[in-house]
Amino acid sequence: MASSNCRFLFKNGLIPNLAENPSVTTLLEAHQGAYTTTRTHSDGSLLLFWERHMSRLSNSLRILLNSNPELLFNSEACRVPFSFVSTKPTMWDSLVQSLVDDSMRNALPLVLDKRRSGEELAITCLVSGNVDSLEELEEKFSTAFDVYVHVGSYVPPLFGIHQNGARLAVVGRGRGIANAKYSDWVRQRKQLEKLRPPYVNELLLSNNGDQILEGCLTNLFVVCHKDVNGDYHKSSQRDNESTVSIELQTAPIRDGVLPGVVRQNVINAGQLGRGYCCVDLVMPNVCICSRNKIPVREIAPSWSEREMWSEAFITSSLRLLQHVEVIQAPSSWESLDTQTWTDVTWEEKQFENAPGQITAFIQKEVMEMASMEGYPVSLFDDR
């Protein structure tokens, strides 16, 4: 299906007077702030995990306000009022939801009129601090922020086709303030591009070259084989399959990874947004692995144990879940100080029969949850 390549930018619900609408990367490089990205589902009728995205956007905003306000207001000298820092999280949730909803009600009806049938939309919401308004701020918090809504066409890749798998490479260290999603990371990660080998479509992060944390845009999961005593074995040593079990591994948040929305669905359901939790929706064991008794260990996958990996996949709000075809890593971690990828000697882990059974099952469950938690786009259309 051909994409219409539609692209729209709204600032505080209005279309800026620009010669042409920028790409989402250009937008994020130009403005400091907290952001989140999601997309539509089911022929543009539903927003994926919208409530969760608003909750994470609010949380990212609070983290930046408390720890690194310069990443929100684009000014190292800005002074955040105490009233901001002391505001209750529920009030921030309500403020962020209101600001974004106002912009979405203006943006989506216009964009939906331009959308082709069968085409999905990628939507990025950026909340950027307005340092000039901050200096004049009294009680009206909303005047201290500008809300950008960027909408573009998106064609999801088909799942289950081996050639549609992700090709990954470990190229750099983990990011700071990893528990917040902020636009300055878009600028920071550009320096890693020189180390991207050909055909690699996602870059992985590690602080020591062995424990893999996450991707620049995704969370990483691997299916690792171990025996019933908890020891890890190479595939060639697994003569008695009855003594072997598997576990799903992914780096814990405390190691410095983004608490991705789809990651949350896979291993830790948590809050669903606007104060609701799984109990409110009568959805016990709502996270996929808990509900289906898939063993999970929150530990950074170790490259030195890669021969025990039978499957791998990455998750993100656009790709949802994508199986991994191959992972590359430098044979020497110090070699990443070189100029380009051609100066690095690479090692590979290939997943020849991808997607594997666990990956395919979890992907199916993620898609079902996406429909179940879909937020109707029609709620933003007052026409």
Side-chain angles (χ1 to χ4, degrees), residues 30-196:
H31 300 282
Q32 299 276 40
Y35 79 100
T36 193
T37 296
T38 185
R39 68 173 174 88
T40 59
H41 175 56
S42 190
D43 196 15
S45 64
L46 300 173
L47 284 172
L48 290 177
F49 308 118
W50 181 248
E51 303 282 8
R52 295 181 188 266
H53 278 281
M54 290 300 97
S55 178
R56 190 192 46 196
L57 179 59
S58 174
N59 189 53
S60 295
L61 188 68
R62 292 197 307 273
I63 291 171
L64 296 181
L65 278 170
N66 282 278
S67 63
N68 295 79
E70 69 277 6
L71 295 177
L72 187 60
F73 288 95
N74 197 26
S75 172
E76 295 184 0
C78 72
R79 297 180 59 186
V80 177
F82 176 74
S83 56
F84 266 35
V85 178
S86 60
T87 299
K88 295 180 179 179
T90 53
M91 292 185 63
W92 277 117
D93 291 345
S94 177
L95 171 64
V96 169
Q97 189 84 53
S98 175
L99 288 172
V100 174
D101 281 0
D102 287 346
S103 290
M104 290 287 285
R105 274 191 285 270
N106 288 331
L108 278 192
L110 175 60
V111 175
L112 290 172
D113 284 343
K114 304 291 185 181
R115 186 189 69 89
R116 289 181 178 176
S117 177
E119 187 175 70
E120 303 297 349
L121 300 172
I123 300 171
T124 295
C125 300
L126 168 70
V127 179
S128 181
N130 187 329
V131 71
D132 294 330
S133 296
L134 182 64
E135 295 173 355
E136 304 170 358
L137 183 69
E138 292 181 0
E139 294 297 327
K140 193 172 176 58
F141 288 2
S142 60
T143 61
F145 301 101
D146 292 319
V147 177
Y148 296 87
V149 174
H150 186 282
V151 185
S153 57
Y154 182 76
V155 180
L158 293 176
F159 185 80
I161 301 175
H162 181 74
Q163 291 78 5
N164 282 355
R167 300 182 64 88
L168 316 179
V170 183
V171 300
R173 297 187 178 276
R175 59 199 183 94
I177 326 175
N179 56 344
K181 194 173 181 73
Y182 57 98
S183 59
D184 195 61
W185 171 239
V186 177
R187 287 184 288 272
Q188 294 176 25
R189 70 185 186 223
K190 288 185 70 174
Q191 62 183 334
L192 300 176
E193 288 299 320
K194 65 180 183 179
L195 294 170
R196 182 192 293 267

Side-chain angles (χ1 to χ4, degrees), residues 198-255:
Y199 308 110
V200 164
N201 49 25
E202 172 64 320
L203 303 177
L204 298 178
L205 307 175
S206 172
N207 287 328
N208 58 13
D210 188 44
Q211 279 77 38
I212 303 176
L213 300 174
E214 61 179 345
C216 284
L217 301 169
T218 61
N219 290 116
L220 172 70
F221 294 80
V222 303
V223 176
C224 189
H225 283 266
K226 63 186 184 70
D227 70 17
V228 293
N229 296 316
D231 297 325
Y232 294 86
H233 291 274
K234 297 180 181 180
S235 299
S236 60
Q237 295 174 331
R238 289 188 278 112
D239 299 324
N240 185 356
E241 292 293 332
S242 64
T243 67
V244 175
S245 63
I246 60 97
E247 68 180 13
L248 188 64
Q249 296 181 351
T250 190
I253 299 300
R254 65 177 178 273
D255 280 5

